Amino acid sequence: MKTSAAEAQFGREARLQAPPGVRVENLTVRFGQKTAVADADLTVKSGQILAMVGPSGCGKSTLLASINGITDLVPGVVISGQRLVGNRPIDTMSSGILRRRVGMLFQKPNPFPMSIIENLEFPLREHGVRGRGQRREQARDALAQVGLWGEVKDRLKDPALTLSGGQQQRLCLARALVLEPDVLLLDEPCSALDPIASAKVEACIDSLRGGYTVVIVTHNLAQARRIADEMVVFWVEHDVGRIIEAGPTERLFTAPVHPTTRAYCKGLAG
Amino acid sequence: MVKTVSSNSDGLVSLVLWGLFSLVTVVSLWMLGDILLLGLDHLSLDFVIGEPADAGRNGGIAPLIVSTLLVLAVCMAVVIPVGLATALAITEFLAPEGRWQATLLRSLDLLSAVPSIVFGLFGYAFFAIQLGLGFSILSGGLALACMALPLFVRITASALAMVPHSYRQAADALAISRVSWCARILLPQSSSGIAAATILSIGRSLAETAVLIFTAGYVMRMPDSLMDSGRTLAVHIYDLSMNVSGGDPAAGATSLVLVVILVVLNLITRKVLPDRTF
Amino acid sequence: MAMILQRFRAARAKDLFVQSAVLLFAGVAAIIVVIIGVYLFLESAPLLTGTGIPGFFLDRRWYPLEGEFGMAAMLAGTLSVTALAMLLAAPVGIAAAVFMRYYAPPAFASFYRRLLELLSGIPSVVFGFWGLIVLVPLIAKLDGPGASVLAGGLVLGLMILPLVSLSTDSSLAQVPRSHWLAGTALGLGRWAIVRKVMIPSAASGILAGMVLQTGRALGETMAVLMVTGNVVQLPASVFEPVRALTSNIALEMAYATGDHRTALFVSGLILLVMTAGLVAVAAVIQRRLKRYG
């Protein structure tokens, strides 16, 4: 397994360009009367892992899903502000290109009701990768990248839903990686998994540093401390989600500025 | 059943409810039993595969079975594509809670309330006369399609809506095209619901008479084409019991055949969708 | 366009084509009911003069071959049979639903539900046939010719019963279980909870369902035709025969010409308007009463 992961690593490190950074400027998202997120500013540097932490309902997932335009699909949503991937506003990109460059992983593993290999080849076909051989190869690489190749190579045609929860989530990560995105959005990817599966997924995420720009929403402060380079803390103020502090992870845990951050990170609140 | 504190009125109410249950059950079984007995008397293999004789008093119902199947075929050939498209429009292509979706839903609600004889009148005026199809299986099938459509759409739309949201999220995040989403995931996942919708619509159509007497007509012969007039099983029961003296035994046997077919369809639906009631 | 359609996931030609086809078909489905209304109206038009219309409702004299098209007797026939049917079906139907949901042991409940589902699928001609050979002679022993308002009401009631009970059952199913638990916590007996908590909560659905089933009953043709005797008269008692509006169309359409035929279309239009009105009432009930439960 280690060999295949290394091979996949090598493939990616051979990419000449560094992945783009992500910037969110002054974002406000409203659903009808309710404001989910207000005046959010966020910067993720190229190749970094940024964690968004905070209690439930602060708008973290809403903001995350607005980076690849998923939030825009909700009927009746009003979004103001700018979202930029590598200095290009996402409104100027077609949804096909945007979601090829920005991949997403959800909280509850959601592989398609198809075979394991189809889960990966289907999106490739959708995005115009002709040639079955080419698709098979890219799928193989993606599975190797998440450490699944060894586990599933003898049963690629089995339904994806026969995999365990942790395997399904790694499959979903592979599915996001198979399109060779530059940015990855992870919405609490480990919260529905048992500790062992969670650790495996976390290891995959950790290996993404440098080759991808990663934004991860997590409830697990210990996890954020382990894998995130930078951190952003959300909180609800007057029924609206806001960012109260941002900065390097270690600083937020050892010398937080905002009193709520101090209480939250010391586990006294949230 | 959660246990609750009992009281005096509870006992009385319970008695009344059990009494009504017994009454309804007895009357229903009485009716079904009568049909069974009367029908069995007259039923035979010849009945099912033979041609009618003596205005239907004797002989069999083979041409009627064929006519019935043809009318159903025409009906479903229209209902399934139009109904699928309409259900897809409701769940996938029209803005939810929007004006157009509401209009479509309201229109279907109205359509489902139209009395069957009015469908018969309309079918006569529009399909038979205006479109020149005359008394034919085609007219009958098309008129029946108008009647069966709302039921099919309702069940299909609810089956489509039950596909887990998580699949949709994943498809959105991967920018899967709408067509691929429908063809590769949405429709396959709802296939059992769509099958149930089909079977229930067939069942409803089988039970129809008023729609067909002015569109498909009364002719008892074996139909040669869709433009021929044809009599369905339900219409045959009506004719035998109302217009043909001594036609009761044959009507009973035909009723039995029809009820058996419907029971079988009911059982199939239960197999296909075990935990849904409509 | 952006207002009526969900945002595109990927605006490809394939998507555009399929979308247009789907919306076209859906459009066809949407206008069917409009076309029906228009057709009925056009066919009825010759007799829909200002002076003629009240006559349909007030005049009892239906002598179509002599140009008299009074439908009052037939309206009375339709309404009396329907009212009797609902009088029977509504309480028994609601009782059946309450029984299935809160009183019956699981085996009985499941049996009952299956039986009602089976009944709801039985063709109206079969109901009518049984009514004709069993009920009508029985009623004749009591009074009158047998074919009567009573026969129609009983048969129609039996037909509508499963629909009312299944509709009520599904309305009751939607009441949150917590309501029952709240009632138990207050120490209420089973009937008290049903009567004061569950039924009121489901009231809008139950009522709307009954309104719709009334519409079904109004529009029913075959069963009523077969057992009511089809004599055009105002019934003096439930044992007298009547002719319903629906039966009239079924009986006379085959040989009606000219104004007679137009009059039949007028009666069809009246039926359409009545059932459409009931659908509207049901919708209003759903919307208004939803606030209270």
mmCIF file of all heavy atoms in Angstrom, chain A residues 41-42 50-53 231-235 237 242-248 251-253 255-262 265:
data_model
loop_
_atom_site.group_PDB
_atom_site.id
_atom_site.type_symbol
_atom_site.label_atom_id
_atom_site.label_comp_id
_atom_site.label_asym_id
_atom_site.label_seq_id
_atom_site.Cartn_x
_atom_site.Cartn_y
_atom_site.Cartn_z
ATOM 1 N N ASP A 41 -14.517 37.006 5.898
ATOM 2 C CA ASP A 41 -13.287 37.130 5.111
ATOM 3 C C ASP A 41 -12.389 35.953 5.403
ATOM 4 O O ASP A 41 -12.210 35.583 6.564
ATOM 5 C CB ASP A 41 -12.532 38.414 5.489
ATOM 6 C CG ASP A 41 -13.240 39.648 4.978
ATOM 7 O OD1 ASP A 41 -13.434 39.718 3.746
ATOM 8 O OD2 ASP A 41 -13.601 40.510 5.793
ATOM 9 N N LEU A 42 -11.832 35.394 4.346
ATOM 10 C CA LEU A 42 -11.055 34.179 4.523
ATOM 11 C C LEU A 42 -9.955 34.136 3.501
ATOM 12 O O LEU A 42 -10.165 34.460 2.342
ATOM 13 C CB LEU A 42 -12.005 33.000 4.264
ATOM 14 C CG LEU A 42 -11.594 31.617 4.709
ATOM 15 C CD1 LEU A 42 -12.034 31.434 6.122
ATOM 16 C CD2 LEU A 42 -12.281 30.589 3.855
ATOM 17 N N LEU A 50 -6.519 24.686 5.750
ATOM 18 C CA LEU A 50 -7.173 25.605 6.668
ATOM 19 C C LEU A 50 -8.358 24.920 7.315
ATOM 20 O O LEU A 50 -9.163 24.307 6.639
ATOM 21 C CB LEU A 50 -7.660 26.858 5.921
ATOM 22 C CG LEU A 50 -8.449 27.830 6.803
ATOM 23 C CD1 LEU A 50 -7.624 29.056 7.114
ATOM 24 C CD2 LEU A 50 -9.739 28.261 6.137
ATOM 25 N N ALA A 51 -8.453 25.034 8.638
ATOM 26 C CA ALA A 51 -9.585 24.425 9.327
ATOM 27 C C ALA A 51 -10.567 25.499 9.739
ATOM 28 O O ALA A 51 -10.188 26.557 10.221
ATOM 29 C CB ALA A 51 -9.110 23.652 10.551
ATOM 30 N N MET A 52 -11.876 25.241 9.522
ATOM 31 C CA MET A 52 -12.934 26.133 10.010
ATOM 32 C C MET A 52 -13.583 25.428 11.185
ATOM 33 O O MET A 52 -14.136 24.333 11.034
ATOM 34 C CB MET A 52 -13.961 26.404 8.907
ATOM 35 C CG MET A 52 -13.354 27.057 7.684
ATOM 36 S SD MET A 52 -14.553 28.073 6.772
ATOM 37 C CE MET A 52 -15.514 26.826 5.996
ATOM 38 N N VAL A 53 -13.485 26.045 12.367
ATOM 39 C CA VAL A 53 -14.047 25.416 13.548
ATOM 40 C C VAL A 53 -15.092 26.318 14.174
ATOM 41 O O VAL A 53 -15.157 27.512 13.888
ATOM 42 C CB VAL A 53 -12.949 25.092 14.590
ATOM 43 C CG1 VAL A 53 -11.917 24.158 14.000
ATOM 44 C CG2 VAL A 53 -12.306 26.369 15.092
ATOM 45 N N MET A 231 -6.161 28.354 10.975
ATOM 46 C CA MET A 231 -7.478 28.041 11.506
ATOM 47 C C MET A 231 -8.349 29.278 11.505
ATOM 48 O O MET A 231 -7.849 30.408 11.598
ATOM 49 C CB MET A 231 -7.335 27.518 12.939
ATOM 50 C CG MET A 231 -8.416 26.557 13.338
ATOM 51 S SD MET A 231 -8.005 25.638 14.835
ATOM 52 C CE MET A 231 -8.458 26.819 16.082
ATOM 53 N N VAL A 232 -9.656 29.065 11.364
ATOM 54 C CA VAL A 232 -10.607 30.173 11.417
ATOM 55 C C VAL A 232 -11.700 29.773 12.394
ATOM 56 O O VAL A 232 -12.213 28.659 12.323
ATOM 57 C CB VAL A 232 -11.207 30.408 10.009
ATOM 58 C CG1 VAL A 232 -12.525 31.138 10.101
ATOM 59 C CG2 VAL A 232 -10.239 31.158 9.140
ATOM 60 N N VAL A 233 -12.018 30.655 13.325
ATOM 61 C CA VAL A 233 -13.030 30.315 14.329
ATOM 62 C C VAL A 233 -14.347 31.034 14.035
ATOM 63 O O VAL A 233 -14.369 32.249 13.864
ATOM 64 C CB VAL A 233 -12.539 30.697 15.745
ATOM 65 C CG1 VAL A 233 -13.574 30.280 16.784
ATOM 66 C CG2 VAL A 233 -11.199 30.024 16.024
ATOM 67 N N PHE A 234 -15.430 30.277 13.995
ATOM 68 C CA PHE A 234 -16.764 30.836 13.765
ATOM 69 C C PHE A 234 -17.534 30.894 15.073
ATOM 70 O O PHE A 234 -17.331 30.079 15.973
ATOM 71 C CB PHE A 234 -17.565 29.929 12.818
ATOM 72 C CG PHE A 234 -17.293 30.161 11.372
ATOM 73 C CD1 PHE A 234 -16.125 29.723 10.798
ATOM 74 C CD2 PHE A 234 -18.223 30.824 10.575
ATOM 75 C CE1 PHE A 234 -15.870 29.949 9.461
ATOM 76 C CE2 PHE A 234 -17.978 31.038 9.233
ATOM 77 C CZ PHE A 234 -16.801 30.596 8.678
ATOM 78 N N TRP A 235 -18.453 31.837 15.129
ATOM 79 C CA TRP A 235 -19.341 31.894 16.285
ATOM 80 C C TRP A 235 -20.641 32.547 15.875
ATOM 81 O O TRP A 235 -20.687 33.249 14.869
ATOM 82 C CB TRP A 235 -18.666 32.704 17.410
ATOM 83 C CG TRP A 235 -19.183 32.314 18.764
ATOM 84 C CD1 TRP A 235 -20.094 32.971 19.535
ATOM 85 C CD2 TRP A 235 -18.797 31.161 19.508
ATOM 86 N NE1 TRP A 235 -20.320 32.309 20.708
ATOM 87 C CE2 TRP A 235 -19.526 31.178 20.712
ATOM 88 C CE3 TRP A 235 -17.915 30.092 19.281
ATOM 89 C CZ2 TRP A 235 -19.405 30.195 21.682
ATOM 90 C CZ3 TRP A 235 -17.794 29.112 20.250
ATOM 91 C CH2 TRP A 235 -18.534 29.168 21.441
ATOM 92 N N GLU A 237 -23.313 35.301 16.583
ATOM 93 C CA GLU A 237 -23.550 36.536 17.334
ATOM 94 C C GLU A 237 -24.849 37.149 16.850
ATOM 95 O O GLU A 237 -24.984 37.442 15.668
ATOM 96 C CB GLU A 237 -22.395 37.523 17.092
ATOM 97 C CG GLU A 237 -21.120 37.123 17.802
ATOM 98 C CD GLU A 237 -20.015 38.126 17.540
ATOM 99 O OE1 GLU A 237 -20.213 39.037 16.713
ATOM 100 O OE2 GLU A 237 -18.955 38.002 18.152
ATOM 101 N N ARG A 242 -20.593 34.440 12.287
ATOM 102 C CA ARG A 242 -19.477 35.321 11.933
ATOM 103 C C ARG A 242 -18.140 34.677 12.252
ATOM 104 O O ARG A 242 -18.041 33.790 13.104
ATOM 105 C CB ARG A 242 -19.558 36.628 12.747
ATOM 106 C CG ARG A 242 -20.597 37.572 12.262
ATOM 107 C CD ARG A 242 -20.632 38.813 13.137
ATOM 108 N NE ARG A 242 -21.850 39.533 12.905
ATOM 109 C CZ ARG A 242 -22.043 40.344 11.857
ATOM 110 N NH1 ARG A 242 -21.068 40.533 11.004
ATOM 111 N NH2 ARG A 242 -23.192 40.964 11.687
ATOM 112 N N ILE A 243 -17.102 35.181 11.557
ATOM 113 C CA ILE A 243 -15.742 34.747 11.896
ATOM 114 C C ILE A 243 -15.228 35.662 12.995
ATOM 115 O O ILE A 243 -15.237 36.882 12.854
ATOM 116 C CB ILE A 243 -14.823 34.848 10.659
ATOM 117 C CG1 ILE A 243 -15.317 33.882 9.580
ATOM 118 C CG2 ILE A 243 -13.390 34.534 11.035
ATOM 119 C CD1 ILE A 243 -14.515 33.945 8.311
ATOM 120 N N ILE A 244 -14.822 35.067 14.104
ATOM 121 C CA ILE A 244 -14.358 35.922 15.191
ATOM 122 C C ILE A 244 -12.843 35.989 15.287
ATOM 123 O O ILE A 244 -12.288 36.947 15.829
ATOM 124 C CB ILE A 244 -14.943 35.494 16.545
ATOM 125 C CG1 ILE A 244 -14.644 34.021 16.826
ATOM 126 C CG2 ILE A 244 -16.442 35.732 16.569
ATOM 127 C CD1 ILE A 244 -15.039 33.627 18.239
ATOM 128 N N GLU A 245 -12.164 34.965 14.771
ATOM 129 C CA GLU A 245 -10.704 35.049 14.797
ATOM 130 C C GLU A 245 -10.111 34.129 13.746
ATOM 131 O O GLU A 245 -10.681 33.107 13.384
ATOM 132 C CB GLU A 245 -10.154 34.647 16.176
ATOM 133 C CG GLU A 245 -8.695 35.009 16.347
ATOM 134 C CD GLU A 245 -8.248 35.016 17.798
ATOM 135 O OE1 GLU A 245 -9.106 34.889 18.685
ATOM 136 O OE2 GLU A 245 -7.034 35.127 18.014
ATOM 137 N N ALA A 246 -8.946 34.511 13.242
ATOM 138 C CA ALA A 246 -8.255 33.687 12.250
ATOM 139 C C ALA A 246 -6.759 33.800 12.452
ATOM 140 O O ALA A 246 -6.270 34.822 12.934
ATOM 141 C CB ALA A 246 -8.639 34.123 10.845
ATOM 142 N N GLY A 247 -6.036 32.743 12.076
ATOM 143 C CA GLY A 247 -4.577 32.810 12.199
ATOM 144 C C GLY A 247 -3.958 31.435 12.217
ATOM 145 O O GLY A 247 -4.664 30.416 12.070
ATOM 146 N N PRO A 248 -2.643 31.365 12.410
ATOM 147 C CA PRO A 248 -1.966 30.059 12.463
ATOM 148 C C PRO A 248 -2.524 29.239 13.620
ATOM 149 O O PRO A 248 -2.832 29.760 14.686
ATOM 150 C CB PRO A 248 -0.501 30.430 12.726
ATOM 151 C CG PRO A 248 -0.374 31.856 12.312
ATOM 152 C CD PRO A 248 -1.714 32.487 12.546
ATOM 153 N N ARG A 251 -0.969 29.369 17.182
ATOM 154 C CA ARG A 251 -1.175 30.628 17.888
ATOM 155 C C ARG A 251 -2.573 30.683 18.493
ATOM 156 O O ARG A 251 -2.783 31.112 19.617
ATOM 157 C CB ARG A 251 -0.956 31.830 16.960
ATOM 158 C CG ARG A 251 -1.108 33.144 17.735
ATOM 159 C CD ARG A 251 -0.971 34.382 16.874
ATOM 160 N NE ARG A 251 -2.056 34.616 15.939
ATOM 161 C CZ ARG A 251 -3.287 34.963 16.263
ATOM 162 N NH1 ARG A 251 -3.634 35.070 17.527
ATOM 163 N NH2 ARG A 251 -4.197 35.163 15.323
ATOM 164 N N LEU A 252 -3.579 30.181 17.730
ATOM 165 C CA LEU A 252 -4.952 30.239 18.228
ATOM 166 C C LEU A 252 -5.125 29.374 19.468
ATOM 167 O O LEU A 252 -5.974 29.643 20.313
ATOM 168 C CB LEU A 252 -5.946 29.785 17.142
ATOM 169 C CG LEU A 252 -6.731 30.914 16.476
ATOM 170 C CD1 LEU A 252 -5.808 31.989 15.946
ATOM 171 C CD2 LEU A 252 -7.573 30.381 15.355
ATOM 172 N N PHE A 253 -4.319 28.307 19.553
ATOM 173 C CA PHE A 253 -4.456 27.463 20.735
ATOM 174 C C PHE A 253 -3.629 27.973 21.908
ATOM 175 O O PHE A 253 -3.991 27.801 23.056
ATOM 176 C CB PHE A 253 -4.047 26.017 20.412
ATOM 177 C CG PHE A 253 -5.141 25.230 19.746
ATOM 178 C CD1 PHE A 253 -5.146 25.026 18.370
ATOM 179 C CD2 PHE A 253 -6.189 24.712 20.496
ATOM 180 C CE1 PHE A 253 -6.178 24.310 17.770
ATOM 181 C CE2 PHE A 253 -7.216 23.997 19.898
ATOM 182 C CZ PHE A 253 -7.209 23.804 18.533
ATOM 183 N N ALA A 255 -2.108 31.320 22.142
ATOM 184 C CA ALA A 255 -2.264 32.743 22.492
ATOM 185 C C ALA A 255 -3.433 33.369 21.744
ATOM 186 O O ALA A 255 -3.259 34.277 20.935
ATOM 187 C CB ALA A 255 -0.972 33.494 22.180
ATOM 188 N N PRO A 256 -4.658 32.872 22.002
ATOM 189 C CA PRO A 256 -5.814 33.438 21.293
ATOM 190 C C PRO A 256 -6.099 34.863 21.742
ATOM 191 O O PRO A 256 -5.844 35.217 22.885
ATOM 192 C CB PRO A 256 -6.959 32.506 21.690
ATOM 193 C CG PRO A 256 -6.538 31.890 22.974
ATOM 194 C CD PRO A 256 -5.057 31.828 22.963
ATOM 195 N N VAL A 257 -6.622 35.661 20.811
ATOM 196 C CA VAL A 257 -6.907 37.055 21.131
ATOM 197 C C VAL A 257 -8.339 37.211 21.661
ATOM 198 O O VAL A 257 -8.580 37.762 22.721
ATOM 199 C CB VAL A 257 -6.706 37.939 19.876
ATOM 200 C CG1 VAL A 257 -7.223 39.343 20.117
ATOM 201 C CG2 VAL A 257 -5.233 37.949 19.497
ATOM 202 N N HIS A 258 -9.301 36.685 20.882
ATOM 203 C CA HIS A 258 -10.720 36.837 21.224
ATOM 204 C C HIS A 258 -11.053 35.970 22.433
ATOM 205 O O HIS A 258 -10.660 34.813 22.499
ATOM 206 C CB HIS A 258 -11.546 36.414 20.004
ATOM 207 C CG HIS A 258 -12.944 36.941 20.002
ATOM 208 N ND1 HIS A 258 -13.944 36.459 20.806
ATOM 209 C CD2 HIS A 258 -13.511 37.919 19.246
ATOM 210 C CE1 HIS A 258 -15.052 37.110 20.559
ATOM 211 N NE2 HIS A 258 -14.842 37.996 19.616
ATOM 212 N N PRO A 259 -11.805 36.516 23.417
ATOM 213 C CA PRO A 259 -12.124 35.733 24.620
ATOM 214 C C PRO A 259 -12.907 34.466 24.317
ATOM 215 O O PRO A 259 -12.692 33.427 24.940
ATOM 216 C CB PRO A 259 -12.963 36.704 25.473
ATOM 217 C CG PRO A 259 -13.383 37.791 24.544
ATOM 218 C CD PRO A 259 -12.354 37.889 23.473
ATOM 219 N N THR A 260 -13.797 34.542 23.305
ATOM 220 C CA THR A 260 -14.572 33.339 22.952
ATOM 221 C C THR A 260 -13.657 32.262 22.404
ATOM 222 O O THR A 260 -13.805 31.081 22.710
ATOM 223 C CB THR A 260 -15.643 33.677 21.910
ATOM 224 O OG1 THR A 260 -16.321 34.868 22.297
ATOM 225 C CG2 THR A 260 -16.621 32.527 21.779
ATOM 226 N N THR A 261 -12.707 32.683 21.584
ATOM 227 C CA THR A 261 -11.741 31.712 21.049
ATOM 228 C C THR A 261 -11.014 31.026 22.186
ATOM 229 O O THR A 261 -10.836 29.812 22.204
ATOM 230 C CB THR A 261 -10.689 32.403 20.161
ATOM 231 O OG1 THR A 261 -11.334 33.313 19.300
ATOM 232 C CG2 THR A 261 -9.916 31.379 19.359
ATOM 233 N N ARG A 262 -10.593 31.837 23.154
ATOM 234 C CA ARG A 262 -9.868 31.286 24.288
ATOM 235 C C ARG A 262 -10.724 30.235 24.984
ATOM 236 O O ARG A 262 -10.284 29.118 25.228
ATOM 237 C CB ARG A 262 -9.490 32.393 25.265
ATOM 238 C CG ARG A 262 -8.507 31.932 26.346
ATOM 239 C CD ARG A 262 -8.039 33.099 27.200
ATOM 240 N NE ARG A 262 -7.610 34.223 26.400
ATOM 241 C CZ ARG A 262 -7.947 35.501 26.621
ATOM 242 N NH1 ARG A 262 -8.744 35.794 27.626
ATOM 243 N NH2 ARG A 262 -7.510 36.473 25.833
ATOM 244 N N CYS A 265 -11.377 27.121 22.565
ATOM 245 C CA CYS A 265 -10.230 26.257 22.327
ATOM 246 C C CYS A 265 -9.759 25.576 23.593
ATOM 247 O O CYS A 265 -9.103 24.547 23.549
ATOM 248 C CB CYS A 265 -9.084 27.058 21.691
ATOM 249 S SG CYS A 265 -9.495 27.520 19.991
#
